[in-house]
Amino acid sequence: MGLSSWTWTTALLALVATSALPITAAPTSVRETCARPYVRKEWRHLTDGQRQQYIGAVQCMMNQPGTATATLSIVRNRFEDFLATHVKQTDFVHFVYEKALWACGWDRTLGQPFWDWTLDTGSKEAFLNSPIFDTVLGFGGNGAYIPGNLSHPELSGFTVGPPNDIPDRSGGGCLIDNPFAGLGTYFGPQNDTSPKDALGCVRRDFSYDSFRERASPAQVEAAMALANYGAFEFVTDSQSYHPAGHWGVGGLYGTMTDTYASPADPVFYLHHSNVDRAWWSWQARDLVGRERDMSGPLVSFDYTNARGGNATLDTPVWVGLGEGNRVEFRVADLMHIQKEPLCYEYESLY
């Protein structure tokens, strides 16, 4: 994505959700290895109690007042602070939110859980029965089926979709059978932040074929074999597992397919945590060299540089819309997840 990826920017946003941060932190060069990195684990490796705790923390965020209301009046709660930042800065960042979860009771030794998609690509049944989509200890399943395709959509008010048709799409309706049933937002479609008369529901529209074709173990291993970050970012961001999570869950009508408003679906954060994990897995294979390997467009998918230049290690990045939540660093400060200011690790790598 923008600033050459969703990868190190996902790490930056682990810092955002705490009012203890100054409104503007000057770019830094702090690179010490942190003493006790917190651990991101695969969803199915959490205990039942931990899964309940995580779901409860997300629900808690949905009941806390937002901090970005002064910037966007349609922000209703803390969860939507992150959605708002993503909508406003999609061309530059993506997002995780550990510290806000901790403030809502999530275990401070744990980070944002991840969804290892490769475990669910073996069959359609494995995908549909993934613990991610459990209706009690997960995020629920598909929406009810709504007919239509990209050229002839039948969902009222539908205006945008994926870049290609999704022949095996199977849903399209609102969340109905999970802890987030009935979840809605005023954000979207795309970057529309205008006030609306009613909430738009969060939708799912499963497409197993889109998921399997792009998120299989073979796709991940092919990415691990790429020689430099420019090739890695291009392939994984637009061709393989990054779109797999969005299109596999979002299909044609689903919220996850919306480039800007996709964080309205809580599955977004587990998907992007694993996207970040895959990047760190690639880095770890040659960490000395790859900790300084940065390239790619400053604006999402602008590979011809028609809208901007390329990122470098000195490129400043910032995020945060709410009062007291803006943070800024250089790219070089965010290239190693086990060093300050990030300080996290994964329980396992590809």
Side-chain angles (χ1 to χ4, degrees), residues 21-42:
L21 291 169
I23 293 178
T24 303
T28 68
S29 299
V30 178
R31 303 304 300 133
E32 291 87 0
T33 301
C34 53
R36 294 183 180 179
Y38 55 90
V39 181
R40 293 181 176 182
K41 294 187 176 183
E42 213 281 334

Side-chain angles (χ1 to χ4, degrees), residues 50-90:
Q50 287 172 328
R51 289 187 228 177
Q52 289 175 327
Q53 186 183 60
Y54 178 86
I55 290 169
V58 177
Q59 292 171 326
C60 164
M61 289 170 62
M62 293 176 178
N63 289 299
Q64 286 189 329
T67 65
T69 305
T71 305
L72 284 174
S73 61
I74 62 172
V75 171
R76 297 175 302 138
N77 53 55
R78 194 73 180 100
F79 180 79
E80 287 192 344
D81 282 339
F82 296 91
L83 171 57
T85 299
H86 187 272
V87 168
K88 298 298 287 185
Q89 295 186 255
T90 286

Side-chain angles (χ1 to χ4, degrees), residues 229-240:
Y229 181 75
F232 177 84
E233 188 274 332
F234 175 77
V235 169
T236 62
D237 195 12
S238 61
Q239 308 295 317
S240 62

Side-chain angles (χ1 to χ4, degrees), residues 204-281:
R204 300 249 177 88
D205 192 2
F206 286 173
S207 167
Y208 171 67
D209 286 347
S210 294
F211 182 74
R212 173 187 54 80
E213 290 169 2
R214 295 172 175 86
S216 68
Q219 289 277 7
V220 173
E221 282 306 307
M224 295 300 112
L226 294 170
N228 60 71
Y229 181 75
F232 177 84
E233 188 274 332
F234 175 77
V235 169
T236 62
D237 195 12
S238 61
Q239 308 295 317
S240 62
Y241 52 72
H242 176 222
H246 286 277
W247 299 347
V249 175
L252 174 63
Y253 298 132
T255 301
M256 279 284 282
T257 302
D258 190 317
T259 301
Y260 291 79
S262 48
D265 189 331
V267 169
F268 172 94
Y269 296 96
L270 287 90
H271 169 50
H272 273 270
S273 184
N274 203 46
V275 167
D276 183 77
R277 172 177 174 250
W279 173 63
W280 179 244
S281 298

